[in-house]
Amino acid sequence: MRPAGQDVPDDDGAAPGARSELRRQLRERRRLRAAVLALVSVVLLGAVPLFFGIRTLSRDPVFDNLDQLNVPGWAAAKTVDEVSGSRWCLLDCRLRERTVTSEKSPEETAGVYENALRQDGWQPWKVTRCPEQETKGSYTCWRRDELTLDLWVREPTCVPPPVDGEPAIVPSPGPSAAAAECAGSLVSVKVRNAIDDERTKPQPSTDPSLTGEDPFPTVSADPLGELTPSPS
């Protein structure tokens, strides 16, 4: 029994405050969840362009263009790419070099590569120093937009490289084995910026009509000539 005149605590009076606190906590959780979702979305949206941007910077578009040349699979059995210099020509302009192993003869390989270059918009470039020194095989030069391209197709090197500084020893297998090892051809592609290619600039000439008077005339046998006697 309750003592007379004693007030009884009203539990119903605390219920509205608890519900209000619960609603506040739910609102904070919703805000936190929305903020996390927004942050994740921003990270994902920024990561995708960043990934492709880094990929674009690391992969030279010239190699992508060479990958799209219309050559059969046997003409590009193995490909090795090398790059040097700066894409923006800081100190040195970029030099792209590709070495390709072909399964067929140099003549047939050179034909398919030249046709593929023409289809891709490259124009034959008749210029001196193409090649810069006498070489075996087929050597042609090409131009397109701001780029120059050297294409060299020749027979593969069949002699193994020296080992531990010793001179290379030419193997002497049977004729059939040697022919199988030396079959196919080797393709070298060199792409440069035209502004960095010395062959696009005026070439020096030794034509006397262009040089004018010889700055170093021929000296007679007696550089002093005949001395004039002075009066005594």
Side-chain angles (χ1 to χ4, degrees):
M1 295 182 65
R2 299 186 184 93
Q6 184 177 1
D7 295 333
V8 180
D10 189 359
D11 295 337
D12 295 336
R19 287 194 297 267
S20 177
E21 178 65 18
L22 180 60
R23 286 194 295 267
R24 187 184 65 80
Q25 293 178 0
L26 291 176
R27 285 196 299 268
E28 290 180 355
R29 291 177 182 176
R30 293 193 191 100
R31 293 193 191 100
L32 180 60
R33 189 181 299 112
V36 171
L37 292 176
L39 180 60
V40 171
S41 301
V42 170
V43 171
L44 292 178
L45 292 175
V48 173
L50 181 62
F51 169 77
F52 286 104
I54 295 175
R55 182 181 177 183
T56 301
L57 291 176
S58 61
R59 176 66 175 177
D60 196 301
V62 172
F63 288 128
D64 293 334
N65 184 263
L66 294 177
D67 291 338
Q68 297 173 5
L69 288 178
N70 186 22
V71 295
W74 56 261
K78 182 180 179 181
T79 301
V80 178
D81 291 334
E82 294 184 3
V83 63
S84 60
S86 168
R87 184 180 303 179
W88 296 275
C89 288
L90 301 176
L91 299 180
D92 294 321
C93 288
R94 176 152 290 190
L95 172 63
R96 303 94 169 167
E97 296 181 274
R98 166 168 289 190
T99 304
V100 185
T101 302
S102 172
E103 297 175 350
K104 295 192 177 182
S105 67
E107 294 78 11
E108 190 171 359
T109 301
V112 298
Y113 270 94
E114 291 175 6
N115 290 334
L117 289 173
R118 288 189 178 92
Q119 294 175 9
D120 198 43
W122 291 88
Q123 299 296 326
W125 186 28
K126 304 297 183 181
V127 64
T128 56
R129 296 167 58 190
C130 176
E132 297 186 1
Q133 58 185 2
E134 186 176 355
T135 57
K136 296 182 179 180
S138 172
Y139 199 107
T140 55
C141 297
W142 304 76
R143 284 199 66 172
R144 193 187 73 174
D145 301 331
E146 75 281 2
L147 300 174
T148 65
L149 183 148
D150 289 31
L151 174 66
W152 182 24
V153 185
R154 72 278 191 193
E155 294 181 351
T157 303
C158 302
V159 179
V163 179
D164 296 333
E166 299 178 358
I169 302 177
V170 180
S172 56
S176 58
E181 291 178 0
C182 295
S185 56
L186 198 61
V187 182
S188 292
V189 181
K190 182 186 296 184
V191 183
R192 287 176 282 191
N193 293 63
I195 61 173
D196 193 49
D197 195 329
E198 294 291 338
R199 297 170 297 180
T200 63
K201 303 173 183 178
Q203 300 298 312
S205 174
T206 56
D207 189 347
S209 64
L210 299 178
T211 57
E213 184 179 358
D214 189 356
F216 302 101
T218 303
V219 181
S220 62
D222 184 1
L224 299 180
E226 296 182 1
L227 297 178
T228 303
S230 59
S232 55

